[in-house]
Amino acid sequence: MIGALPCCSADGVAYHRCVLQRRDCLALAALPLVGACGVEPTIVDGPDAPAFAPLATTPKLALVLAAGGPRGFAHVGVLRALGELGIRPDLIVGASVGALVGAAYAAALPVAQIESMAFDFDFYSMLRWSPGSGAQLEGRRIASLLEETLAVSRFAQLRTPLAVVATDRASGQPLAFNQGLLAAAVQASCAIPGWFAPVRIRGRDVIDGDVSSPLPVTVARNLGARRVIAVDVAAHLDKPRPEGAQRYLEGDRAKRAQIDAEAQLADLVLHPYFGYWVNLTRAFRERAARAAYEDTLAHAAPLCAIAS
């Protein structure tokens, strides 16, 4: 377990539920009768259950991919730009959507395939109908997507070491996984409270990494990374706020403080801007990725210096 990080409530969940009311969460909040009520937790136990252990070698360069729901589509633009710059980290750390994208990158999928996975993914495929409960989100579909796409089942099979950051629901503390079953760890890291059921790993209910560590630089440093490049996809507080966004200012400030507590531990933080409101359309996904691609290339000199 990693040390406690700042959050806005004792269990780390109340703040996240507040954020879910914005359109930059998973953008599924508008769907009627959708939620995790009545969905049993996925139980993962035994010797293959996700776990954490120190790395055998010291990473020279870590890439940290933040949580952020649809904002995480920006990550694929960063990956394309890093490839063009010839920069390849030897450790990847991700929370929530950052863990999902990071797993594909760690498995050495071509960037074009990661883009296709991100731009074409049908979020409505995670819906299932339960008599008496209506439509519900099924987190197991995230695990199935990874297993089918990556053709690997365990962290040890990845080309690049990966750490997936989630949250212990009982304590609100961040948890890191880098051993055992990969898909279960990523599913847990993406388990947004109130929308997806938790994943019960080794007897503990594990939820969304965004609750406790939206930009998990601390995990990268604890794993020994000498240099860290982090990708922050949260809203910009220094940009004009659009109509209707003022009521979320307090939550945005709280999230910014939570992110900055770890961002200061990175050597460089990329923070692409692609507007305030987000959605699940392909047009938005491509716009976010393009903005991140251009922002990454604009930082080519410091990035190459850090990676050298």
Side-chain angles (χ1 to χ4, degrees), residues 5-6 63-68 75 93-96 98 165 174 209-221 228-234 255-271:
L5 299 174
L63 175 65
V64 175
L65 302 177
H75 291 318
V93 179
S96 199
V165 180
D210 189 37
V211 172
S212 60
S213 186
L215 189 69
V217 180
T218 300
V219 171
R221 291 300 190 188
V228 177
I229 297 168
V231 185
D232 174 8
V233 295
K255 178 60 70 176
R256 174 49 49 200
Q258 191 182 18
I259 290 172
D260 287 349
E262 295 199 69
Q264 63 183 338
L265 302 176
D267 293 282
L268 178 66
V269 178
L270 299 170
H271 191 194

Side-chain angles (χ1 to χ4, degrees), residues 214-254:
L215 189 69
V217 180
T218 300
V219 171
R221 291 300 190 188
N222 286 348
L223 284 169
R226 296 174 183 169
R227 300 283 186 179
V228 177
I229 297 168
V231 185
D232 174 8
V233 295
H236 285 244
L237 294 183
D238 58 341
K239 303 292 185 182
R241 300 183 72 79
E243 183 179 356
Q246 194 63 30
R247 64 184 182 275
Y248 302 118
L249 180 57
E250 182 179 350
D252 289 339
R253 285 174 173 167

Side-chain angles (χ1 to χ4, degrees), residues 55-82:
L55 298 176
T57 59
T58 300
K60 296 180 180 179
L61 177 65
L63 175 65
V64 175
L65 302 177
R71 292 181 172 276
F73 292 121
H75 291 318
V76 298
V78 173
L79 300 186
R80 175 165 288 283
L82 291 179

